[in-house]
Amino acid sequence: MTILRTDRLILRPWRVNDPSDARALYRHASDPEVGPRAGWPAHSSVEESARIIRDVLSADLTYAIVLRASESAIADADVSCGDGRVEHDGDRDGDDDAEGYGDGEGDGYGYGRPIGSIGLKEIAGKADARELGYWIGRPYWGRGLVPEAARELMRYGFDELGLTAVYACHDVSNGQSSRVMDKLGLVRLRTDRSVPRPLLGADVRRDEVVRRMTREEWTVRGTSGITPISRSSGGSGK
């Protein structure tokens, strides 16, 4: 799978059976403010996070979001936890750094510590379209990192994979995700009512906004707007 790079980020495959990736995933996915917004429950253990990497996040076109070295240095100095506390990221889980997989670019192939995930999921009956999905850890909210990652992944999908459309969905109550999709230029198509959320519970249902960008819309609007992005790609991941 091709590794993608932007000015501040590296998008690389999740590493199955890597304890460092499992710990990094658990650090953010155990936050009850993160998963439920995206339709899945908070992780309860590092072992669960390792299983999710193996069974879910190892899918094709699913990427770990990793800070590049320069951005990581800034984040290490002052990472807000979202609840009023401030952490110094470089002080946490020192064994990650000892293994050579700390924050930043690491060995040059993007094997730093993940802070979120993003992907283009297959859509049944639409071979030339994909569904965009993403989340990022709460300390990194409000920095424009998700739009930056998403724009690069959409560029890869349209320009290099030949997709004709990218879809995305968000709960009507999720204003943050709505603003991200507005920045990306994803057009509202409809609102689906009472959509089941089986991962959150058998009886959980939510109203969901469905959006789309076509290749023609990308050509007109997709390369303008938010933080400039480098167009280079890295080597093979897995």
Side-chain angles (χ1 to χ4, degrees):
M1 195 159 74
T2 300
I3 293 174
L4 306 174
R5 289 177 169 83
T6 74
D7 288 344
R8 297 185 292 173
L9 301 171
I10 292 172
L11 309 182
R12 53 86 162 164
W14 285 91
R15 293 166 61 89
V16 176
N17 299 324
D18 185 328
S20 178
D21 267 21
R23 288 193 297 269
L25 175 58
Y26 176 69
R27 178 183 300 117
H28 298 298
S30 60
D31 185 340
E33 292 296 320
V34 174
R37 292 170 181 257
W40 44 268
H43 292 194
S44 59
S45 67
V46 174
E47 291 74 22
E48 180 183 9
S49 294
R51 178 180 60 79
I52 295 296
I53 292 173
R54 183 182 68 248
D55 296 344
V56 179
L57 299 179
S58 62
D60 186 39
L61 295 181
T62 299
Y63 292 88
I65 301 173
V66 177
L67 290 173
R68 298 192 74 152
S70 58
E71 186 68 17
S72 178
I74 297 172
D76 282 350
D78 186 17
V79 175
S80 170
C81 302
D83 59 1
R85 295 180 296 116
V86 172
E87 286 187 350
H88 295 278
D89 200 47
D91 294 338
R92 294 176 294 166
D93 292 352
D95 50 345
D96 286 354
D97 294 333
E99 293 171 8
Y101 301 117
D103 283 335
E105 294 186 73
D107 60 5
Y109 289 94
Y111 296 147
R113 182 186 297 157
I115 62 169
S117 189
I118 191 167
L120 290 172
K121 183 175 68 174
E122 291 184 349
I123 302 174
K126 296 181 181 291
D128 57 353
R130 292 263 180 160
E131 180 180 345
L132 175 70
Y134 50 78
W135 64 267
I136 197 165
R138 187 156 43 138
Y140 304 94
W141 290 1
R143 302 186 182 195
L145 296 172
V146 169
E148 184 172 330
R151 189 170 289 267
E152 172 61 8
L153 187 54
M154 290 170 68
R155 179 206 65 79
Y156 181 67
F158 284 122
D159 296 351
E160 301 190 34
L161 300 182
L163 297 181
T164 60
V166 169
Y167 291 79
C169 305
H170 65 82
D171 289 350
V172 295
S173 61
N174 192 338
Q176 287 175 304
S177 196
S178 179
R179 288 189 291 274
V180 167
M181 295 185 193
D182 285 341
K183 290 180 180 180
L184 294 171
L186 287 154
V187 177
R188 292 174 181 248
L189 296 180
R190 65 181 187 273
T191 299
D192 292 339
R193 301 297 180 184
S194 193
V195 178
R197 288 287 185 268
L199 295 178
L200 295 177
D203 299 324
V204 177
R205 294 176 175 269
R206 293 178 178 172
D207 294 344
E208 181 178 86
V209 178
V210 180
R211 299 185 182 232
R212 182 188 66 191
M213 175 175 278
T214 65
R215 190 195 318 224
E216 291 75 17
E217 290 167 338
W218 171 260
T219 300
V220 172
R221 299 186 297 187
T223 56
S224 64
I226 64 171
T227 306
I229 295 173
S230 302
R231 297 301 189 192
S232 59
S233 297
S236 297
K238 69 173 182 180

